[in-house]
Amino acid sequence: MHELTKAPPPRRPDLHVATEGEFVGWRTWIRDSFESHVGPFWHRIEADGSVRSAFRVEKKHLNGSGNVHGGCYMAFADYSLFAIATHVLDSRAVTTNFACEFLDAAREGELIECTGEVTRAGGSLIFLRGKMMSGTRVLLTFSGTIKRMKRKALPQPNA
């Protein structure tokens, strides 16, 4: 099976699929309380195997000027790194590097979407880049590196 169309990993207990509202059928992770608080952010796998992330701008996402806060852009881009890596990420991971360019502002009510690509996936590091848009306007470009984490053995009590 082609790498981008291989079956997803077994059902994850932290993966939630929306059953109602604007994002019916889209996925989100519920394990990350910060992303749940700041978002909700959503992602889906498109027919061609690519991944699209999205959120609808609410008042809570705005800065004092009425534009989406830069920190919200960065949190959503970081979420999108992991969504974009869905096909090559089969365990826990952390962001080790993140860079972005702010290009345009977004306002309340806009639909913000991210697309991107894995540029290289090695044994422990995954390199990615992406683009955040509202309609045809590019809002932010970003790149990042994700490090796969090895599962550590739990310490034995009284050891």
Side-chain angles (χ1 to χ4, degrees):
M1 198 178 282
H2 186 273
E3 181 68 22
L4 290 181
T5 57
K6 71 179 182 180
R11 178 92 174 119
R12 294 174 38 172
D14 66 324
L15 186 64
H16 171 76
V17 179
T19 57
E20 59 185 29
E22 178 179 11
F23 293 100
V24 168
W26 291 62
R27 306 168 181 192
T28 192
W29 294 289
I30 56 175
R31 178 182 64 228
D32 192 312
S33 58
F34 178 78
E35 286 174 352
S36 296
H37 176 73
V38 174
F41 302 140
W42 300 94
H43 66 280
R44 71 177 180 199
I45 300 172
E46 304 284 39
D48 66 359
S50 66
V51 177
R52 179 174 304 275
S53 303
F55 78 102
R56 179 71 62 184
V57 178
E58 300 175 26
K59 187 174 183 90
K60 70 178 182 176
H61 300 125
L62 305 179
N63 61 22
S65 298
N67 298 314
V68 175
H69 193 284
C72 181
Y73 272 5
M74 294 170 70
F76 178 52
D78 185 63
Y79 172 93
S80 296
L81 287 175
F82 287 82
I84 293 164
T86 292
H87 299 299
V88 296
L89 190 57
D90 54 5
S91 63
R92 290 187 180 233
V94 295
T95 305
T96 61
N97 185 45
F98 179 84
C100 65
E101 296 77 37
F102 295 93
L103 303 173
D104 203 351
R107 311 282 287 184
E108 188 173 356
E110 289 188 61
L111 178 66
I112 308 297
E113 298 181 285
C114 276
T115 57
E117 65 180 333
V118 173
T119 57
R120 181 181 173 116
S124 65
L125 297 176
I126 303 168
F127 301 88
L128 308 103
R129 64 179 166 212
K131 180 169 43 173
M132 185 181 302
M133 302 186 69
S134 177
T136 60
R137 289 181 9 257
V138 179
L139 306 174
L140 181 96
T141 57
F142 59 95
S143 61
T145 307
I146 297 173
K147 179 172 179 47
R148 293 181 171 113
M149 301 299 294
K150 293 182 176 153
R151 297 206 184 264
K152 294 181 181 177
L154 295 174
Q156 297 298 317
N158 302 321

